[in-house]
Amino acid sequence: MRRKVIAGNWKMNKSPNDVKEFMSKFPELVKDTAHDVILCVPFIDVMTALELAKNTNIKIGVQNMHYKDSGAYTGEVSPQMLKDIGVQYVIIGHSERRQYYNETDESVNLKLKSALSHELNPIVCVGETLEQREVGITKDFVTMQVKNAFEGISKEEVNKIIIAYEPIWAIGTGKTASSNDANEVCKWIRDEIRNMYGDVADEIIIQYGGSVKSSNAKELFEMSDIDGGLVGEASLDPDEFSKIVNY
Ligand code: PEP
């Protein structure tokens, strides 16, 4: 049985003071969950979040990183820096980074390899646009993204990676993929991983993301191939996010 992994993606929201307020409530609300709980916070919040997550079941992640250890890359943060302060997870290739910051399949692959080499747990995002879904190329497109992201990744490393299937048209729009449609693509991704790496496909965590809320989490997360979620908007409120975690 695969565990359920539920990660919040705070995007560009909350200052360190807001983190203190959130964490004054949230740990108590999720302390008894059987599921893995991750908060992917803005860089400026990482130290506060790590401090307040000590002695709780909450893991802290970030939303991006550079693939190099150090160097002349103004404004960037390296995997070595993240590892050094105790960050455990990193989102790679979120559609907003692909759309606004020129993230490509190639940079996603470099970051994925770099995260693994620093023992950071990557959450790699893939997903189609509305146009791609409408012309019927969702599976081909997602397969290509997965194959490009996993280029050069060994069989031993595969189950350290979390894949988040996030149809772009469902992110931040309030439109959720139906549980059957979401499960169909997550299963497709798992089958692609099986073609590439064999039975380790049964161990890899595949999340769904795209307007997950407390009202739809249970239906989505109980599907056969959906192992939890990557949650944006609804992870900003401790009550709502705890309901999703405890779905
Ligand atoms: C996300 O940021 O990855 C996401 C799925 O956002 P939302 O839940 O707001 O659609």
Side-chain angles (χ1 to χ4, degrees), residues 139 143 146-147 163 183-199 201-202 204 206 225:
K139 287 176 180 167
T143 299
V146 170
K147 285 201 165 137
I163 298 176
N183 194 54
E184 189 182 333
V185 182
C186 290
K187 184 171 179 334
W188 174 267
I189 293 170
R190 195 178 307 286
D191 289 341
E192 285 303 314
I193 297 290
R194 195 183 316 283
N195 292 338
M196 291 157 71
Y197 296 101
D199 286 347
D202 291 324
I204 192 164
I206 303 181
D225 284 272

Side-chain angles (χ1 to χ4, degrees), residues 9-11 91 94-96 125 164 166-167 170-175 208-213 230-235:
N9 172 17
W10 280 0
K11 313 194 187 195
I91 298 174
H94 191 281
S95 62
E96 286 153 16
C125 302
E166 299 207 305
I171 298 178
T173 58
K175 289 185 200 150
Y208 166 78
S211 300
V212 173
K213 316 176 210 33
L230 183 56
V231 184
E233 178 78 28
S235 70

Side-chain angles (χ1 to χ4, degrees), residues 120-136:
L120 290 163
N121 301 294
I123 301 175
V124 184
C125 302
V126 297
E128 80 287 0
T129 63
L130 187 57
E131 294 71 35
Q132 288 164 334
R133 174 157 285 259
E134 281 172 351
V135 296

Side-chain angles (χ1 to χ4, degrees), residues 25 28 31 77 80 95 97-98 102 136 155 157 160-161 163 169 180 221 224 234 239 247:
K25 225 174 160 187
E28 182 63 24
K31 69 177 184 349
V77 172
Q80 207 171 50
S95 62
R97 295 217 58 92
R98 293 182 192 252
N102 215 16
K155 193 172 175 174
E157 293 171 311
K160 301 190 177 83
I161 299 169
I163 298 176
W169 49 269
N180 282 324
F221 299 169
S224 64
D239 291 308
Y247 68 91

Side-chain angles (χ1 to χ4, degrees), residues 2-133:
R2 288 182 299 273
R3 66 196 197 282
K4 302 286 180 188
V5 181
I6 297 155
N9 172 17
W10 280 0
K11 313 194 187 195
M12 195 173 71
N13 292 292
K14 295 194 188 292
S15 67
N17 279 331
D18 299 325
V19 180
K20 286 182 193 157
E21 199 181 323
F22 183 95
M23 291 299 277
S24 69
K25 225 174 160 187
F26 187 64
E28 182 63 24
L29 298 173
V30 297
K31 69 177 184 349
D32 297 322
T33 183
H35 311 135
D36 289 13
V37 193
I38 305 163
L39 291 174
C40 294
V41 304
F43 288 126
I44 189 120
D45 295 333
V46 170
M47 295 304 280
T48 311
L50 280 169
E51 183 59 32
L52 297 174
K54 265 187 202 159
N55 305 319
T56 75
N57 53 344
I58 301 160
K59 311 273 191 321
I60 301 302
V62 294
Q63 304 163 18
N64 181 39
M65 62 169 215
H66 201 280
Y67 56 88
K68 292 215 172 155
D69 285 355
S70 61
Y73 301 99
T74 302
E76 290 291 317
V77 172
S78 86
Q80 207 171 50
M81 296 168 185
L82 296 169
K83 187 69 193 170
D84 190 53
I85 57 168
V87 168
Q88 288 177 277
Y89 289 84
V90 54
I91 298 174
I92 293 177
H94 191 281
S95 62
E96 286 153 16
R97 295 217 58 92
R98 293 182 192 252
Q99 186 180 353
Y100 305 130
Y101 302 101
N102 215 16
E103 190 85 83
T104 62
D105 282 354
E106 196 187 357
S107 60
V108 167
N109 175 252
L110 288 169
K111 291 179 181 190
L112 189 49
K113 287 180 187 156
S114 173
L116 290 168
S117 75
H118 288 87
E119 295 179 340
L120 290 163
N121 301 294
I123 301 175
V124 184
C125 302
V126 297
E128 80 287 0
T129 63
L130 187 57
E131 294 71 35
Q132 288 164 334
R133 174 157 285 259

